[in-house]
Amino acid sequence: MLAYVVLLIGAPLISVVQHALSLGFASFGASITAPVALQALLLTVRCAIEISLINALMGTAVAWVLARYRIPGKGFFSAVVELPFALPTLVAGVMLSTLFGPHSFLGKAAAASGVPVIFAKPGIILALLFVTLPLVVRSVEPVILGLDRAEEEAAFTLGASRILIFFWVTLRSLAPAITYGSIQCFARAIAEFGAVVVISGNIPYRTLTAPVFILGEVESGKTESAAAVSLMLLILAVLLSYLTRAVQRRLSTATG
Amino acid sequence: MRAATQKAAFVRWSVGQIVLTVVVLGYLSIVLLLPIGALAVQTVRGGSEVLRSLTEPEVIQSLLRSLLVAVAVTLLNTIFGLVGALVIVRQRFWGRRILDALVDIPLAVSPVMTGFAFLLVYGRGGLLTPVVEWFGWKVTFAMPGVLLATLFVTVPLSLRELGHVLAQLGMYEEEAAATLGASAWTTFWRITLPNVRHGLLFGVTMTAARALGEFGAVLVVGGAISGKTQTATTLIYASLEERRPVTAFGMAIVLCGLSAIVLLAMNLIQRRSVVPE
């Protein structure tokens, strides 16, 4: 078992690290601070942060409505929320491109109103939103379903308004799950390739994200640069993985 | 009991709740349903052209390659997922934590990086290149590389799901069976396996969906060489690049359809696993 995992997962990762540092730390540093590379990394991180915040808010809202309210078609919407997990990310990108493409109704409307979607940052945001939507919802919904209403009901009998109850009582219990989901969103967003590559147009300095940058470098044979940026993403991924486990531990003690 | 009081507590809609529901449903529709609708409309408009493109030999080949890889990967990683989950959850050994952490990594790694890493490992001067060459296999820019990269990406899916299920189940029943004299194999086959049934099915569907949809890693390792390493997803990408959107839409809709089937399967399994036994 150990052999399988080490060979399959460990070997490739080690190769990336080794290759990135093969020309020394100075070269590594130069690679990641090269203007295009740096901008790509910054754009990726910036988008990921925005996505995580939006998802923390909307994901919780979606989970709340799906868990607590009785709506016709709830099963349908529940299934729809799971959709991004079953769909290839590239297909998601293609869908968004047809929706907001230069020849489409929405695309032309967007361009006219000064907020272009395709080949621009809003397109990246939408693509990432599509792909990461289930993450927070999936994390928060079970917690909402398992909440002990006694606390909320006690607050209600003491005269608190519903909104107050939500923010002061319920949210405290939901916070670990929301955080966990958001971190997963962030990790997913920095790595996303398929959905982004089609809709963003991959314009350096403006819509070129780190994963797409890596692809470009690999295709032009600049493997050291690709390895360097890959290593940066890998470091981020490992940090996030560590963070996820820490939050997960808190989550299981909170609900346990 | 709690469920009954929860349902009963929801009697009248307040303005706030209506607004929230509208906002949420609207958000879901815009972010998720609208794009799907757009694709469907485009494909319908393409009509017979789309159908014709789907019968091209290259298209069918690509789809077959994707399906083959998906089946192989699902089989392998479900077995390894089960073994791995049993090992990680139930046994203590040196390196257990490392194994646990390693397994999580593919979820956070960018697919492009995965493909690139495999190019490094099995390419010129790679760590495992001597091994591969000794066997006479070709990994990079060939289907074995595609298979390996897809394996990498799907390792955590089954394993984690089964791990959760096993952790929740505990070793209760297995220990009881042991005291009654059952052999390890009998215990596994008649107690463990049926108990993890739902987790297993869930893992299978998730792995299959992910394997079918894998794009970035496959693109980089395989090189999307038409006729040799072109898979369903890379075909879509290549068709778009070559300004042949009809083929792209056609394949996209096919993959959509397959994903819908997977989604349905996931839903059915989830619903059945909630029923108390």
Side-chain angles (χ1 to χ4, degrees), chain B residues 115-210:
Chain B
F116 177 49
F118 274 91
L119 278 185
L120 287 177
V121 174
Y122 296 103
R124 262 177 299 131
L127 269 177
L128 293 175
T129 316
V131 177
V132 167
E133 279 178 0
W134 189 80
F135 279 104
W137 294 335
K138 190 162 172 21
V139 174
T140 59
F141 304 116
M143 286 312 285
V146 172
L147 185 72
L148 283 171
T150 315
L151 270 177
F152 178 102
V153 163
T154 50
V155 162
L157 297 173
S158 248
L159 210 152
R160 281 283 163 249
E161 181 64 32
L162 288 166
H164 285 153
V165 172
L166 283 173
Q168 278 186 332
L169 283 175
M171 293 205 60
Y172 227 8
E173 295 186 18
E174 280 93 346
E175 283 166 357
T179 62
L180 288 170
S183 71
W185 180 249
T186 314
T187 316
F188 175 75
W189 194 249
R190 291 186 141 216
I191 297 183
T192 320
L193 217 49
N195 276 346
V196 297
R197 207 177 37 211
H198 287 122
L200 208 67
L201 282 173
F202 200 74
V204 162
T205 47
M206 284 212 70
T207 310
R210 187 72 168 84

Side-chain angles (χ1 to χ4, degrees), chain A residues 2 4 8 11-12 15-16 19 58 69-70 79-80 83 86 88 90 95 98 129-130 191 193 211 218 223 227 230 245, chain B residues 10 13 17 21 27 31-32 36 77 99-100 104 110-113 116-117 121 152 213 215-216 233 249 256 259 263 267:
Chain A
L2 204 63
Y4 177 70
L8 185 63
S15 295
V16 173
H19 200 87
M58 290 310 295
Y69 296 1
R70 262 188 309 197
V80 166
L83 194 73
L90 179 66
M95 285 179 185
T98 53
L129 271 180
F130 184 101
F193 172 67
V218 172
T223 51
S230 297
R245 299 157 145 277
Chain B
F10 189 84
W13 286 88
Q17 287 174 329
T21 313
Y27 179 75
V31 175
L32 296 177
I36 301 172
N77 266 337
L99 190 64
D100 204 23
D104 265 337
S110 178
V112 175
M113 216 190 89
F116 177 49
V121 174
F152 178 102
F215 171 55
T233 47
F249 290 147
C256 257
S259 307
L263 202 66
N267 237 297

Side-chain angles (χ1 to χ4, degrees), chain A residues 31 53 111 117 125 166 182 232 256:
Chain A
S31 290
L53 290 174
V117 174
I125 299 285
F166 180 75
S182 302
M232 277 310 295

